[in-house]
Amino acid sequence: MDRRFPFKVLEHIFSFLDANEDRNSVSLVCKSWFETERRTRKRVFVGNCYAVNPLKVARRFPKMRSLTLKGKPHFADYNLVPDGWGGYAWPWIEAMAARRPLLEEIRLKRMVVTDECLEKIAASFRDFKTLVLTSCEGFSTDGIAAIASTCRKLRDLELRECNVDDLGGDWLSYFPETSTSLVSLDFSCLDSEIKLSDLERLLSRSPNLKSLKLNRSVTLDVLEGLLRRAPQLVELGTGSFSDELDPEEISKLTKALSELKQLKSLSGLWDLLPEYIPVLYSVCPRLTSLNLSYATVQMPDLVDLLSRCSKLQKLWVMDMIEDKGLKTVALCCKELRELRVFPSGADLDEEDVALTEQGLVSVSEGCKKLESVLYFCVQFTNAALVTIAKNRPNFRCFRLCVMEPFAPDYRTQQPLDEGFKAIVERCKDLRRLSVSGLLTDKAFEYIGVHAKKLRMLSIAFAGDSDLMLHHLLSGCESLKKLEIRDCPFGDTALLENAAKLETMRSLWMSSCFVSFGACKQLSQKMPRLNVEVIDEHPPKTRPDSSPVERIYIYRTVAGPRQDTPEFVWTIHKNPEVGVSRLSTR
Amino acid sequence: MTLEEELQSNVSVESSTRNTIGVVLKEHNYLGLSDCSSVGSSNLSGLADDDKATISLKATELTLGLPGSQSPARDTELNLLSSPVKLDEKPFFPLLPSKDEICASSSQKNVASGNKRGFSDTMDKFPDAKSSVYAEKNWMFPEGVANTQAVVKKEVAQNIPKGKLSTTNNSSSPPAAKAQIVGWPPVRSYRKNTLATTCKNSDEVDGKPGSGPLFVKVSMDGAPYLRKVDLRSYSSYGELSAALEKMFTTFTLGQCGSNGATGKNVRNETKLKDLLNGKDYVLTYEDKDGDWMLVGDFSWEIFIGVCKKLKIMKGSDAIGLAAAPAPRAMEKPKMRA
């Protein structure tokens, strides 16, 4: 008796599966489920562009409509990965263009995207709707113009913190003259000026536009005119907020903002002058997301603003908010789910530190829904961490950056082991953790024992020895991404836990004590790991004991990559071949 | 209690139960405060092969970017069980390649003032790639926190200016830049750049001319794509050079010989030419008249007024380019004014 479900029934059932994790599990059950699942998957996510061959992905998912790719390791954000490392989008674009012309959405993070790529996208995918590039580089505004002019069904064009070769604002005039289908436009990372008339006309013929993020060169005096043409905006990123406006202009702008009845998210606000804060009053009560992290305003003004934002769920702000400001947040923003406090780089005098651990403690007390935190602070205490953990066991993402490496608890001079222990013990749902301050191996023992759902962990200047890594690799069951810098462990833990590495997406280690010999051993032992050594100063001879600057280890079914630059060395599986760059350049 | 003892006492004893060699600090090792034998011991406890004994301690010392560099001060055959390395032999801060090189260059520069780093006065003498590691935007580092750190910080700050570190783009930005580690604090470059521009903008409001960014394209022979730089975000040739090196580092790796020679105290303009001439590349620019000239002859202010495009050419290609001739004689007096 054929016990299998008819394909159509299975297909129907699988159509309810959205999460790729579920789909991945389902596809492992048996061949027919694998086949059914792959024929029905529409949104494909590849967390490491080198983990798999683009052609294979294209072939496996005939119905794919959306592709999300990530390239460089996360630490590339902090200049730890030299330029030219890799992460090229081209092979993927090429493969998709050839085989999946019905692709509609491409989202890339930390990848090198050239104008050629963008032109290929424009030319190949007739229903192309969504392009979101985050922290990408390698392209110019010419490529953007190609997308704007050719993709007639374009809905989303978002350049988030990209490094773009900005050749001028012409690209804006390339959108089709008839009405566009634009829903979201983000060019906040571009530098050059755009022509106001181009933008105004674009807004007038984009009735569906819900999200608009301007760049800094858009001055305050023109904002009112833009908003009048797009009163339906849900998300607004302003340009510079600092020009001199006369009273009439101010009142016009205030009115225009108050007309944005659907506005939920506000960002931009570069150089926000305190006298313009009242202009924003009208939108505050509706705001669920506010990004003040480029607004260099002081605490009193921030308090003025934030005390009106009772619906706020996401707040990004600089440390000028101080403990006092965070107290206000704790009192007024009861819906807060995500808080990020960035360092302003202001020279902090020891006595004058106005943002301390107390700020985060207040917020953890007052904001019961808080689940995601990124907090830069000069110093911290175990007691504060314990209190925070007690207050908020619902943390899913906890990233604390004590900016002084090796800073102990400043009251007790103890390592922050006990504090982070409390965090991982109480926050059972913790998915992402960044630790800092003085930490011994004990801290990592606690993390290994308790942080069972932890997927991503970032560590810097911590630990005593190999035990640290061993605790993590043997303890954290769900660990997928581990990135470590400047920690004094070496080869042992790495080799002992080699098998674990195949269950993870990637491991980054820089300025640690890993030896070249260990890298070789690891690579030979684990055929499905790419062990890449990044060494900008390769020695003439490389004995096994010599340390490596940085290594990046990731699981892959695609074998060693062919596009490594001069400073990346892939360790061959064949010990006789040794180490080489496989680049064909 | 001295700092050393205090820090040592912080290290939990359990680390000693695993070490066959000795109980010493691990995590503070790369500040140079502890017995160097601790460096090796963590590696030793598990390694099976005989290479243990020859593990080069100094080579495994945490230094950003220079484990393989040949440095006279490094004893690659250092015996693990030898007497503890004296404190003053090791650089306090991993950014510095070796005490040797630091000392050699210390004559070149005095500590600017207090904890300030003399970045703007120190030209990078290292291979390009290294400058990509060090050319960190001038990120502020907060003043000492814990008291136990105070000594470390002071020492660190003292040593840094003597080191040969690349200039950064913002060496003229807000003072008291403390010890800078690449990529620390972990803030995205995009954010740092944006905030740096905010500082610069407020500087300009205070009276400097400058009317907004001045972008010029920078191309390089052999590079797959060109970049753009904002000339107004730099205030000297040194800064520009450092930024360009960082951008084009991939393509110039291995070009620059090791410039161990130090002790020079030269104007930035000359330094730029020296540096680039030391490699195979020269920096040239196209001026308002469309002529290609060697960079470095005019003062910075004049330069940004005339420069339309930049190009990093191979030295051999640039032979035909003279330094700016006669006009210079006329320009110079103006520069001084």
Side-chain angles (χ1 to χ4, degrees):
Chain A
M1 185 167 71
D2 191 342
R3 291 176 188 278
R4 288 176 302 178
F5 276 129
F7 170 77
K8 284 286 168 209
V9 175
L10 261 187
E11 194 183 26
H12 182 70
I13 297 176
F14 288 175
S15 68
F16 292 103
L17 289 176
D18 280 331
N20 275 347
E21 275 191 17
D22 294 336
R23 283 182 163 269
N24 290 343
S25 308
V26 142
S27 63
L28 292 175
V29 167
C30 63
K31 272 211 159 115
S32 75
W33 281 40
F34 177 87
E35 283 298 309
T36 312
E37 191 284 314
R38 79 172 184 87
R39 286 179 204 286
T40 57
R41 192 182 302 208
K42 295 226 174 80
R43 320 186 67 83
V44 174
F45 171 82
V46 180
N48 174 4
C49 65
Y50 290 119
V52 65
N53 185 306
L55 283 169
K56 294 220 166 108
V57 173
R59 260 181 279 164
R60 180 174 166 187
F61 300 111
K63 288 264 170 61
M64 68 187 294
R65 294 287 177 268
S66 155
L67 176 65
T68 303
L69 288 176
K70 295 192 185 180
K72 299 187 201 173
H74 173 237
F75 271 178
D77 282 352
Y78 314 131
N79 294 346
L80 288 179
V81 177
D83 281 344
W85 174 87
Y88 303 105
W90 175 256
W92 288 87
I93 309 288
E94 201 184 21
M96 297 305 148
R99 278 152 211 275
R100 297 287 157 243
L102 295 179
L103 193 63
E104 294 175 358
E105 303 178 8
I106 295 180
R107 294 179 169 81
L108 304 176
K109 187 166 186 180
R110 272 182 233 115
M111 294 194 75
V112 176
V113 181
T114 56
D115 282 347
E116 215 186 352
C117 291
L118 295 176
E119 284 153 17
K120 187 85 168 159
I121 291 175
S124 315
F125 306 114
R126 63 154 212 261
D127 289 335
F128 196 68
K129 295 198 172 65
T130 300
L131 182 67
V132 177
L133 302 177
T134 308
S135 301
C136 293
E137 56 173 359
F139 60 102
S140 77
T141 42
D142 285 350
I144 304 296
I147 299 273
S149 65
T150 320
C151 303
R152 300 265 133 183
K153 300 193 184 171
L154 192 67
R155 275 202 317 228
D156 310 296
L157 177 58
E158 296 180 27
L159 308 174
R160 302 183 187 167
E161 297 191 356
C162 292
N163 193 349
V164 184
D165 188 11
D166 193 338
L167 305 172
D170 280 346
W171 61 272
L172 202 58
S173 62
Y174 280 76
F175 284 100
E177 282 300 324
T178 56
S179 89
T180 75
S181 38
L182 273 182
V183 172
S184 143
L185 178 63
D186 179 352
F187 58 96
S188 51
C189 64
L190 295 182
D191 289 318
S192 62
E193 291 186 24
I194 42 134
K195 238 161 87 177
L196 181 62
S197 53
D198 285 345
L199 185 53
E200 285 180 338
R201 278 206 317 269
L202 179 64
L203 294 184
S204 300
R205 64 186 197 275
S206 302
N208 296 329
L209 194 69
K210 293 275 188 290
S211 168
L212 175 65
K213 300 200 177 157
L214 306 167
N215 69 351
R216 199 172 184 172
S217 71
V218 176
T219 50
L220 194 54
D221 49 337
V222 308
L223 186 59
E224 181 258 334
L226 297 173
L227 296 182
R228 267 192 296 108
R229 287 169 170 80
Q232 76 282 8
L233 283 180
V234 175
E235 293 182 350
L236 171 64
T238 71
S240 157
F241 225 90
S242 65
D243 311 302
E244 300 272 340
L245 297 182
D246 61 43
E248 195 196 332
E249 287 172 309
I250 295 181
S251 120
K252 270 197 187 158
L253 178 58
T254 312
K255 179 158 194 301
L257 279 165
S258 68
E259 305 273 288
L260 301 177
K261 300 290 183 212
Q262 321 237 30
L263 195 71
K264 294 228 165 43
S265 161
L266 186 60
S267 58
L269 301 171
W270 280 291
D271 319 309
L272 176 63
L273 292 179
E275 49 260 40
Y276 293 144
I277 299 222
V279 165
L280 302 172
Y281 284 171
S282 59
V283 300
C284 289
R286 293 187 285 273
L287 281 184
T288 57
S289 164
L290 180 55
N291 183 350
L292 289 165
S293 62
Y294 296 108
T296 44
V297 272
Q298 301 301 320
M299 186 270 296
D301 302 308
L302 289 172
V303 164
D304 189 12
L305 201 54
L306 291 169
S307 54
R308 295 158 199 271
C309 300
S310 54
K311 291 224 178 93
L312 207 59
Q313 294 179 17
K314 174 168 141 175
L315 174 63
W316 289 21
V317 75
M318 285 203 274
D319 58 9
M320 275 105 81
I321 192 169
E322 301 177 10
D323 287 348
K324 281 212 197 105
L326 287 176
K327 257 214 169 80
T328 308
V329 171
L331 277 175
C332 302
C333 308
K334 291 302 188 189
E335 298 294 312
L336 198 68
R337 282 149 172 69
E338 176 180 331
L339 173 68
R340 295 198 190 184
V341 180
F342 294 97
S344 56
D347 211 15
L348 297 169
D349 205 330
E350 213 172 316
E351 288 92 64
D352 269 1
V353 174
L355 180 86
T356 70
E357 74 280 6
Q358 208 36 56
L360 188 54
V361 170
S362 318
V363 179
S364 71
E365 263 165 28
C367 303
K368 310 255 180 266
K369 299 193 182 169
L370 188 68
E371 57 181 29
S372 170
V373 164
L374 170 62
Y375 200 77
F376 284 82
C377 188
V378 169
Q379 57 199 20
F380 231 79
T381 63
N382 281 313
L385 280 170
V386 169
T387 309
I388 290 167
K390 281 208 185 107
N391 289 338
R392 282 291 58 74
N394 45 323
F395 274 132
R396 291 171 68 94
C397 168
F398 188 78
R399 296 160 72 189
L400 175 64
C401 180
V402 178
M403 290 192 284
E404 184 66 41
F406 315 118
D409 176 326
Y410 71 94
R411 288 201 200 282
T412 66
Q413 304 311 323
Q414 292 301 305
L416 291 178
D417 297 346
E418 295 302 312
F420 280 106
K421 175 184 182 201
I423 295 281
V424 293
E425 250 182 344
R426 291 192 178 254
C427 304
K428 306 244 184 282
D429 266 337
L430 198 64
R431 296 272 194 275
R432 183 168 177 186
L433 177 64
S434 298
V435 297
S436 53
L438 181 63
L439 295 167
T440 70
D441 286 345
K442 261 250 162 269
F444 301 98
E445 188 187 332
Y446 299 142
I447 296 177
V449 164
H450 295 286
K452 290 308 179 191
K453 294 232 177 108
L454 192 66
R455 297 172 59 95
M456 181 169 176
L457 178 60
S458 310
I459 307 175
F461 306 106
D464 304 317
S465 71
D466 275 68
L467 254 196
M468 160 197 158
L469 185 61
H470 177 70
H471 286 314
L472 293 174
L473 293 180
S474 56
C476 298
E477 285 156 12
S478 311
L479 196 61
K480 290 278 173 280
K481 292 205 291 188
L482 180 56
E483 45 188 23
I484 306 182
R485 61 165 296 178
D486 293 273
C487 294
F489 67 84
D491 305 331
T492 324
L494 202 56
L495 292 170
E496 270 175 29
N497 292 284
K500 170 78 175 176
L501 297 177
E502 261 191 23
T503 68
M504 292 166 52
R505 185 188 296 169
S506 65
L507 168 61
W508 166 278
M509 291 192 291
S510 54
S511 306
C512 300
F513 292 149
V514 179
S515 76
F516 186 64
C519 292
K520 285 205 302 203
Q521 265 184 285
L522 187 62
S523 178
Q524 280 139 27
K525 211 166 142 181
M526 310 296 301
R528 282 183 306 189
L529 286 184
N530 272 358
V531 178
E532 291 182 8
V533 170
I534 299 170
D535 204 337
E536 289 177 287
H537 302 88
K540 299 234 175 353
T541 58
R542 210 200 275 270
D544 279 0
S545 56
S546 67
V548 294
E549 281 177 25
R550 295 164 250 210
I551 46 173
Y552 184 52
I553 302 171
Y554 54 92
R555 68 175 170 190
T556 177
V557 292
R561 59 183 173 115
Q562 303 292 322
D563 59 2
T564 48
E566 294 148 334
F567 51 82
V568 174
W569 311 76
T570 300
I571 315 260
H572 276 274
K573 308 299 171 188
N574 179 353
E576 276 160 28
V577 179
V579 168
S580 73
R581 293 174 292 106
L582 294 176
S583 169
T584 49
R585 256 194 257 165
Chain B
M1 221 195 229
T2 66
L3 173 63
E4 238 182 320
E5 288 162 36
E6 193 162 12
L7 285 173
Q8 286 206 6
S9 72
N10 277 347
V11 175
S12 53
V13 173
E14 60 211 5
S15 62
S16 71
T17 58
R18 288 171 307 97
N19 282 325
T20 52
I21 300 299
V23 186
V24 273
L25 287 175
K26 306 285 188 298
E27 75 273 25
H28 296 284
N29 203 35
Y30 39 105
L31 288 182
L33 294 176
S34 66
D35 185 333
C36 76
S37 62
S38 69
V39 174
S41 54
S42 63
N43 290 345
L44 288 196
S45 39
L47 288 178
D49 59 37
D50 292 307
D51 284 346
K52 275 192 236 176
T54 57
I55 287 176
S56 143
L57 286 182
K58 287 223 165 155
T60 58
E61 200 174 278
L62 279 183
T63 59
L64 291 173
L66 290 176
S69 64
Q70 306 304 312
S71 152
R74 290 165 173 272
D75 181 357
T76 53
E77 298 305 311
L78 189 62
N79 187 340
L80 289 168
L81 299 177
S82 65
S83 56
V85 172
K86 291 179 269 296
L87 218 56
D88 53 15
E89 269 180 21
K90 293 170 110 181
F92 274 110
F93 208 85
L95 285 185
L96 307 177
S98 74
K99 197 67 178 171
D100 229 22
E101 289 168 329
I102 296 165
C103 290
S105 62
S106 63
S107 56
Q108 160 195 350
K109 197 69 209 109
N110 52 337
V111 177
S113 68
N115 292 334
K116 285 194 193 165
R117 306 176 70 180
F119 270 171
S120 51
D121 299 303
T122 317
M123 199 57 186
D124 181 36
K125 300 270 190 300
F126 288 151
D128 297 357
K130 180 138 169 316
S131 72
S132 78
V133 170
Y134 291 178
E136 172 78 348
K137 298 273 189 232
N138 212 9
W139 190 252
M140 300 307 126
F141 220 79
E143 183 61 82
V145 176
N147 290 332
T148 51
Q149 300 295 322
V151 172
V152 174
K153 286 194 69 58
K154 235 180 20 182
E155 300 283 6
V156 165
Q158 287 291 328
N159 276 316
I160 298 285
K162 295 179 194 157
K164 292 178 292 188
L165 295 158
S166 64
T167 55
T168 62
N169 287 344
N170 302 339
S171 57
S172 58
S173 61
K178 307 299 194 304
Q180 292 185 22
I181 312 174
V182 174
W184 191 263
V187 175
R188 283 195 182 166
S189 342
Y190 176 79
R191 176 170 296 279
K192 278 195 228 185
N193 294 350
T194 309
L195 287 182
T197 322
T198 312
C199 291
K200 281 227 176 317
N201 284 346
S202 46
D203 279 348
E204 281 172 7
V205 165
D206 288 343
K208 277 197 223 162
S211 52
L214 180 61
F215 286 101
V216 297
K217 294 191 195 179
V218 187
S219 60
M220 173 161 169
D221 285 344
Y225 49 86
L226 48 81
R227 307 288 292 265
K228 259 194 165 192
V229 293
D230 172 10
L231 288 182
R232 279 203 224 282
S233 64
Y234 314 114
S235 58
S236 72
Y237 285 114
E239 286 178 29
L240 173 64
S241 169
L244 291 181
E245 278 178 74
K246 181 170 192 291
M247 268 184 209
F248 290 99
T249 247
T250 329
F251 313 113
T252 59
L253 270 175
Q255 300 289 345
C256 182
S258 62
N259 291 311
T262 60
K264 284 197 266 189
N265 195 359
V266 291
R267 281 172 56 220
N268 284 341
E269 287 82 351
T270 325
K271 272 189 225 173
L272 174 70
K273 276 197 284 195
D274 285 345
L275 183 70
L276 290 178
N277 288 338
K279 309 178 278 203
D280 279 338
Y281 290 88
V282 292
L283 184 60
T284 61
Y285 71 100
E286 186 182 26
D287 68 4
K288 287 192 160 123
D289 301 328
D291 299 322
W292 286 93
M293 321 270 267
L294 284 178
V295 161
D297 296 306
F298 297 120
S299 71
W300 177 254
E301 290 72 24
I302 304 241
F303 170 71
I304 62 178
V306 297
C307 172
K308 289 283 155 258
K309 272 192 213 169
L310 286 170
K311 186 164 178 169
I312 305 178
M313 285 190 194
K314 286 201 165 48
S316 42
D317 293 339
I319 287 177
L321 296 180
R328 181 163 47 149
M330 287 188 335
E331 294 293 316
K332 274 215 148 90
K334 278 191 219 161
M335 276 160 27
R336 304 263 184 262

